[in-house]
Amino acid sequence: MRTEVAIIGAGPAGLLLSHLLADQGIDSILIETRSQQYVLSRIRAGILAHSTVELLDAIGLGTRLHAEGQEHRGIYLQWPQERHHIDFVDLVGRSVWVYGQTEVTKDLVSARETAGQAMFYEVSDTALHDVDTEAPYVTFTDSSGAAVRIDAAVIAGCDGSFGPSRAAMPESVRQTWERTYPYSWLGVLADVAPSTDELIYAWHPDGFAMHSMRSPKVSRLYLQVPNGTDVGTWSDDRIWDALAERLGHGQDGWSLERGPITDKSVLPMRSYVQTPMRHGRLFLAGDAAHIVPPTGAKGLNLAVADVALLAPALAALLRKGEERLADSYSEDALRRVWRCTHFSWWMTTMLHTSADPFGAQLQLSQLRWVASSEAGAMGLAENYAGLPIGF
Ligand code: RFL
Ligand code: PHB
């Protein structure tokens, strides 16, 4: 089988890349280890930055997002006895949208299906070959057990943090930077109307807590827990009690409404960057090249920003034989990657608590500065609402 771009991974990065390439008349084939059902039901990100919304609008995929998503002007930053609204629209003129990654994925899958995109789900043994030649290829076993080979001009590694693309970069050229954090998030989805109009990020001596949402009827909430926490040790009542305590139930007349918990999971927190994002005819995009802890709501938005750079670079390379954008892709993408890596680290270390009384005072001082100084608030707003595509 032959195509111009073999895309490994049908998460947001891979699906969006196939869409943007098709807009330029470039053929691609998508291969994915999971079933379509699994990809469409995975609970992940919830916040779209301004630049992501602009891009989805520009390619005609913003209709359901505007009809069913919720536009937020900002977020609340909180610590015991205090809650402050950071208004991104006032500060930097940009808003964010609550629209689940699951919904973005559904919109992309349905657009790709309508366009007749070639997609293989439930593949195994994915392997990349000859990436430093002009004739790379991908091999895998399809869902019926048949061995398949796809020859391509380019391979796009959009296979997330566990895929094989990252390791297909020769060890002699690749470099990694990594930070693990001494805490995880316990995330729950609950069938209850959100108790807040916009997201609450709460510092608390017992640990960070966050109140997010998916719709007017579904809340998404998180609690900082120690690494290695077993979900089984957190009953629904224990979760609601901890959320009530950390989010300030009963303070200034605010109350946290409880409801049935429909999903519970523990997520480790990690920062990771692998460079370069291109070697020969292999280009990495999204979580395949970098992971950020979720506190800055940046992972999905970074994946979108990578692909927004990669698609025109591949179009110039494959249609006009121009190498310039392809050559600068890694450097161009990494500027934003490191900015978002820093922002996500900053939000994470400002809000998660540990047994360090000196550190706690610094965190509280930083939070007070962000909430009370326009310069402080603007820094958060500019990074959170999203730097323009091409930053
Ligand atoms: P994905 O979504 O992981 O997709 C990669 C796909 O590749 C497939 N794959 C393979 N396919 C073929 N062959 C192989 N050998 C393969 N190995 C893997 C996988 O099955 C998968 O379908 O990566 P992509 O497309 O780069 O997208 C990245 C985002 O999914 C990720 O950054 C975000 O979900 C991160 N994130 C958030 N980002 C935000 O922008 N805002 C948020 O509010 C936000 N919240 C979150 C998050 C991530 C979370 N978790 C679960 C880590 C909240 C959470 C809880
Ligand atoms: C979410 O709704 O899942 C979410 C929102 C903001 C974050 C992380 C996760 O920073």
Side-chain angles (χ1 to χ4, degrees):
M1 215 173 273
R2 222 198 135 75
T3 188
E4 292 184 283
V5 183
I7 303 177
I8 307 178
L15 287 163
L16 181 60
L17 180 63
S18 67
H19 192 92
L20 295 175
L21 290 174
D23 273 353
Q24 307 277 329
I26 295 174
D27 280 346
S28 64
I29 296 179
L30 272 163
I31 68 167
E32 165 60 52
T33 36
R34 302 291 191 162
S35 66
Q36 187 178 78
Q37 175 57 29
Y38 182 92
V39 169
L40 288 176
S41 59
R42 220 165 21 193
I43 302 163
R44 288 263 184 106
I47 294 284
L48 304 185
H50 186 75
S51 50
T52 301
V53 174
E54 270 185 338
L55 176 76
L56 293 173
D57 282 342
I59 58 173
L61 288 183
T63 315
R64 210 162 63 87
L65 150 65
H66 286 282
E68 295 174 25
Q70 297 160 262
E71 185 171 19
H72 284 191
R73 294 182 63 93
I75 58 166
Y76 295 99
L77 267 190
Q78 170 175 321
W79 56 96
Q81 315 305 331
E82 295 204 38
R83 180 178 293 170
H84 297 266
H85 189 245
I86 310 290
D87 193 310
F88 305 155
V89 177
D90 281 350
L91 288 159
V92 296
R94 299 197 294 275
S95 61
V96 297
W97 283 74
V98 169
Y99 190 63
Q101 180 169 333
T102 318
E103 305 309 315
V104 176
T105 308
K106 269 185 210 157
D107 294 344
L108 283 165
V109 165
S110 98
R112 297 319 305 135
E113 282 185 345
T114 307
Q117 172 73 44
M119 299 196 233
F120 287 88
Y121 282 97
E122 297 181 70
V123 309
S124 48
D125 312 321
T126 312
L128 296 81
H129 310 266
D130 294 351
V131 297
D132 42 14
T133 72
E134 303 253 305
Y137 63 99
V138 178
T139 55
F140 59 92
T141 306
D142 76 10
S143 58
S144 72
V148 181
R149 167 175 168 151
I150 300 177
D151 290 278
V154 161
I155 299 175
C158 301
D159 45 0
S161 47
F162 300 109
S165 297
R166 200 188 252 190
M169 295 263 174
E171 266 181 52
S172 55
V173 304
R174 71 175 193 244
Q175 212 175 341
T176 57
W177 286 267
E178 202 167 359
R179 170 123 337 160
T180 51
Y181 301 88
Y183 29 74
S184 302
W185 277 11
L186 172 65
V188 302
L189 204 60
D191 279 340
V192 59
S195 302
T196 178
D197 57 340
E198 300 195 336
L199 272 56
I200 304 170
Y201 287 76
W203 183 99
H204 191 278
D206 294 352
F208 169 73
M210 188 170 82
H211 191 328
S212 181
M213 60 196 74
R214 284 293 175 276
S215 74
K217 290 185 178 157
V218 176
S219 297
R220 177 80 168 143
L221 300 124
Y222 297 98
L223 284 169
Q224 174 187 343
V225 292
N227 283 342
T229 293
D230 172 6
V231 184
T233 61
W234 282 84
S235 66
D236 293 7
D237 283 344
R238 184 178 175 200
I239 291 172
W240 284 118
D241 289 347
L243 286 166
E245 171 67 22
R246 298 186 198 182
L247 290 168
H249 176 80
Q251 281 168 30
D252 295 331
W254 183 79
S255 53
L256 176 69
E257 295 305 319
R258 303 182 179 206
I261 290 179
T262 57
D263 188 89
K264 250 185 237 186
S265 57
V266 173
L267 326 153
M269 314 271 282
R270 198 150 80 100
S271 295
Y272 177 95
V273 180
Q274 178 174 309
T275 63
M277 287 171 64
R278 180 237 179 140
H279 175 71
R281 289 299 179 113
L282 169 62
F283 295 76
L284 301 181
D287 279 17
H290 41 72
I291 300 164
V292 288
T295 329
K298 283 288 150 228
L300 168 62
N301 296 296
L302 256 189
V304 167
D306 285 352
V307 162
L309 284 175
L310 183 55
L314 294 182
L317 180 71
L318 299 175
R319 281 289 166 271
K320 300 185 198 141
E322 282 174 17
E323 303 263 355
R324 191 178 56 83
L325 291 176
D327 286 348
S328 67
Y329 166 70
S330 179
E331 200 183 318
D332 292 345
L334 284 166
R335 259 200 308 278
R336 175 187 293 259
V337 168
W338 278 114
R339 177 87 300 280
C340 292
T341 299
H342 176 266
F343 176 66
S344 305
W345 166 87
W346 179 73
M347 287 286 281
T348 301
T349 52
M350 176 168 69
L351 286 160
H352 291 73
T353 47
S354 61
D356 170 14
F358 179 76
Q361 293 306 321
L362 296 184
Q363 290 177 316
L364 288 167
S365 169
Q366 177 84 342
L367 283 163
R368 282 189 203 103
W369 176 67
V370 170
S372 62
S373 142
E374 188 168 299
M378 202 176 271
L380 190 154
E382 185 169 49
N383 283 280
Y384 194 111
L387 298 152
I389 293 276
F391 160 80

